[in-house]
Amino acid sequence: MEAPSMDTIYQAINALYDNPNPNEKEKASRWLGEVQKSIHSWKVADQLLQQKKDVHSCYFAAQTMRSKVQHNLSELPQEAVVSLRDSLVAHLEGISPETSSAIVTQLSLALADLALQMTSWSNCVGDLIKLFSNKNDFVLLEVLTVLPQEIDSSSLKLGENRREEIKSELRANSQLVTFFLKECLNSSQSTNIALKIVKCMTSWIQVRAMSIQEVPQNAVIGFSLQVLRDHNSINLLHSAASDCICAILHCLEDNNNNTEVEKLLFDSVSSLEESYHMAVAHEEEEKAANYAGVFTELAETFLEKIILCAANGNAHFAMRSLELSLVCVGHHDYDVAEITFNLWYRLSEEVYERDYQPLTDVFKPHIERLIEALARHCQCEPDHTQLPDEGDEFYEFRMKVMELIKDVVFIVGSSSVFRQMFAVLQADLPWEQTEAALFIMQSVAKNILPEEYEYVPKVVEAILSMPEGTHPAVRKTCILLLGELCEWIERHPECLEPCLQSLIGALQDQTLANAAATALQNICAACRSHAAPHAATLLRAARRADELSLAPRAAAALLRALAAAVGRLPPEQLALAMREAAAVQLEGLRELLAREAEPRRGTRSDPVLWLDRLAALFRDVDAPAGPAAHPCLPAFRDAWPVVHEVMNKYSREGRIMERACRSVRFMVRSTGRHAAPLLPALAQALPVLYAVRAHSCLLYLAAVLADALADPTDAAAQRALARLLHALLPPALTLLAAPEALRDNPDTVDDLYRLCVRYLQRSPGALLAAEGVLPQLLSLGARACALDHRDANCSLMKFLHDLARIANSTREDDRQVKEAISATLTQYGETLTFALLEASVLHLHSYMLSEVAEVMLELVWWQKRAGADWLASALRRLSRAPPAATDHQCWQFHQYAIRAEKCKEMTRLLRDFARLYR
């Protein structure tokens, strides 16, 4: 791109912000984006900032400067970086109070990002204070706020060495910054300046630059507490003050050996209860949420000490923080209550891990109050006619409540909660209170002991005898509660038939159908043997799925209920029932095959509707296998030709092909090795379909066939599977050999290596018999190591791990396989080790490194026996240009890695080492 003129730049900026034509705006945006990427943008941005024509051009320039410093600083020679620093300082010195805050922030970020990357600028904090102090405190506050925030920015990739260097510098200057902030606080009456002072202190606390011992003398922390004590303070300042106090409490949790500071902070924060009540009384919701955050952080800070004291029979002074959090749970706004949820999860985890009943009993009153308050929050609005829909905020909140109650209920006991809510039901209450009590019962129903005879029978009886006029929301929750009581019903089979009849009847009401189908699925899955005699009733209901206008999800759930029930029928009856149930779905597919209508998603003209029902039917059948032909095989034989025709007709439709493969997958899984007679047809069809369009789901289905049907004693099956593999691998490998193919086809990488894993496990001879394939797979694998796609990376690492493990195996039963793999590892091991190490430090997320560690561990063990040191070679090849590990850190990593014996050790080593490059 040639250097653009300033006139053209101004015209483009005007078009972007002021032109009413959206096409012109889009065109200007694209062109300015190209300008920002070019080398000329440094000069353009500098000139725009010098000329200061208008707000839009200055903002574009500031944002460009920040982006270039963050991502493209390497474009400038070293001497130009110093000039850039001086230029940014000059621009910031010219900032006036009237300047847009967005421009100030972008320029401050640019200077902060430059300081962090500019290793030659030692003591940048001290220099910045000297440069701006007493000249432009407003700008200095902004720079000092964003500087600590940017240290852990993933965009900068400073490396752990530089981060630690900067943090040490911040700690060394903390007293200077504290003094500067105190002076600003004392000399200014501006609320805006006070807000920036508090935010600046919060930033420094969050990077652990401030000493805990200095908290009592810290004027900004004192000011923040003062702001929180005044419920009339401005909202923005109140929020900033609460963030500041939360930050210092979080630091206190990590430095919990400062008793004096602990007591001071606890007393100061707990004294805010009255201010919280004043905020509630004045309907200051935002401030109430701030107090809830502070009280919750206070409780989390002291949680370990509270539990430790309670386990020893003592009460810690901070026990009151749990009471304060419960006060917030009682707030009328459920958003405020939700702020405390993480505290209760942590409390539950700590108590559960200790498994000490006297300790559990200490927290029973707290959890009882928590559940009682949550029941109130779960009440719907009285004028609503239905429960909230999925995706609604209140629906999501109720789901979070359900998960929380399931997690904490062991502290008080499920039966106790059930009894408590049953007492609510006995009173003559509005429908929304009744429904909320039933919802809480639903949350704990699966934890109810099957021997419970006092309350559950009464609840079940009440549900089954509900009058027609019952509120629809109450009826729906009752149905869902019945489904959650499935394990109790399994132990009380006399309840099963009336439950099934009631639920099948509810299918006719579209507002209840989805809940009824889900409840049927739960109950039939838990009561398979007892449900078998009712299979005919379920089959009739399944046949009427379209007549009842069931939603796709409800119809699939109904078929899963049917499958669970028929699975315990005698083989002849099971075979007949499966064929009958499958026939309804196959008829729907045949109708689509006979006409040329375009598929409409979610309607009867959509093949996916019928394929999903077939999948649901075979997925849950769970028929016991015997020596005779599998009872589901006749239904599989009926289904495969029709599904195959669907795949041929819609071979270019990815969504339909994926669901077709999924349905065949469940057919194969349900019949297991009894499906061997169908293997030749399946193995012949998949490569033909893959040649038409390379859908990765076909590779996945081939992997399922290998896993389910590979039998060392069945030569014909082994030959069919070998032909299938040899037909699929070449086009898949060719597809992934193209430039950018790995990035564009991560699903193919995932399913290809999943396929290879299955063959390696079940039929390694077939994989090794394909000439030149194993070296191709390892060469491709070395390139794919850097692919930042969780599933693809996981399958690749599983393949490499299993391959290396076979090479390391001491078993003598398959020497030929081991020798072939060892020979290939000898050839590609060094390349692979470097690819794994480079991907770990430069490309992969830290949560993906545990799989890499498993492979690395096996490779290290293999090379030690082979007398090689690929790891040392890989470390030498890594860049030493910052950010990077030093020679000593590389040596240390090597020493620990070659001695590692467990995957956790290697994972920790890789994560720590990777931080040096990020």
Side-chain angles (χ1 to χ4, degrees), residues 797-828:
M797 294 305 149
K798 175 65 176 166
F799 172 71
L800 295 175
H801 171 261
D802 286 3
L803 204 69
R805 191 175 60 181
I806 292 172
N808 281 326
S809 173
T810 55
R811 291 170 54 187
E812 297 294 327
D813 54 348
D814 208 342
R815 183 183 293 273
Q816 192 175 356
V817 170
K818 182 178 175 179
E819 287 176 355
I821 291 173
S822 294
T824 312
L825 271 184
T826 303
Q827 184 181 356
Y828 288 93

Side-chain angles (χ1 to χ4, degrees), residues 371-390:
I371 292 173
E372 189 179 335
L374 293 176
R376 286 196 301 275
H377 282 300
C378 288
Q379 291 174 17
C380 299
E381 291 296 327
D383 57 345
H384 285 189
T385 56
Q386 296 292 337
L387 291 178
D389 292 325
E390 199 168 328

Side-chain angles (χ1 to χ4, degrees), residues 672-907:
R673 289 189 179 176
H674 292 276
L678 287 167
L679 177 59
L682 289 160
Q684 187 177 351
L686 298 192
V688 175
L689 291 163
Y690 195 74
V692 175
R693 179 66 65 88
H695 297 291
S696 70
C697 56
L698 294 164
L699 300 176
Y700 182 90
L701 182 54
V704 172
L705 294 178
D707 189 44
L709 302 178
D711 183 354
T713 64
D714 187 343
Q718 292 289 79
R719 286 195 297 273
L721 287 170
R723 286 195 298 272
L724 173 62
L725 181 70
H726 299 162
L728 289 173
L729 281 180
L733 289 167
T734 302
L735 171 68
L736 295 175
E740 307 299 328
L742 293 172
R743 190 195 64 194
D744 296 340
N745 301 282
D747 291 338
T748 299
V749 177
D750 175 21
D751 291 324
L752 172 65
Y753 282 101
R754 189 192 302 269
L755 172 66
C756 294
V757 166
R758 291 304 186 200
Y759 272 87
L760 203 56
Q761 293 169 340
R762 311 288 289 153
S763 185
L767 183 64
L768 299 176
E771 190 175 349
V773 160
L774 195 57
Q776 278 184 273
L777 286 169
L778 283 183
S779 177
L780 177 67
R783 287 173 45 222
C785 283
L787 187 60
D788 188 12
H789 184 279
R790 186 166 194 166
D791 292 339
N793 183 269
C794 191
S795 293
L796 170 62
M797 294 305 149
K798 175 65 176 166
F799 172 71
L800 295 175
H801 171 261
D802 286 3
L803 204 69
R805 191 175 60 181
I806 292 172
N808 281 326
S809 173
T810 55
R811 291 170 54 187
E812 297 294 327
D813 54 348
D814 208 342
R815 183 183 293 273
Q816 192 175 356
V817 170
K818 182 178 175 179
E819 287 176 355
I821 291 173
S822 294
T824 312
L825 271 184
T826 303
Q827 184 181 356
Y828 288 93
E830 189 168 353
T831 302
L832 203 54
T833 303
F834 175 70
L836 288 165
L837 189 62
E838 185 181 49
S840 297
V841 300
L842 297 180
H843 304 292
L844 301 180
H845 290 293
S846 60
Y847 65 77
M848 299 166 74
L849 296 185
S850 56
E851 284 86 6
V852 179
E854 289 184 340
V855 183
M856 194 71 87
L857 205 58
E858 292 287 346
L859 286 175
V860 165
W861 290 343
W862 192 88
Q863 63 187 279
K864 279 199 288 190
R865 285 206 301 275
D869 196 345
W870 299 331
L871 185 58
S873 170
L875 286 164
R876 284 194 295 273
R877 289 173 63 186
L878 284 177
S879 170
R880 290 295 187 273
T886 63
D887 288 340
H888 179 69
Q889 287 168 330
C890 286
W891 176 83
Q892 270 189 321
F893 172 78
H894 179 268
Q895 293 301 304
Y896 285 123
I898 60 174
R899 290 173 174 81
E901 294 182 356
K902 294 181 180 177
C903 181
K904 279 187 177 179
E905 289 177 68
M906 187 64 85
T907 303

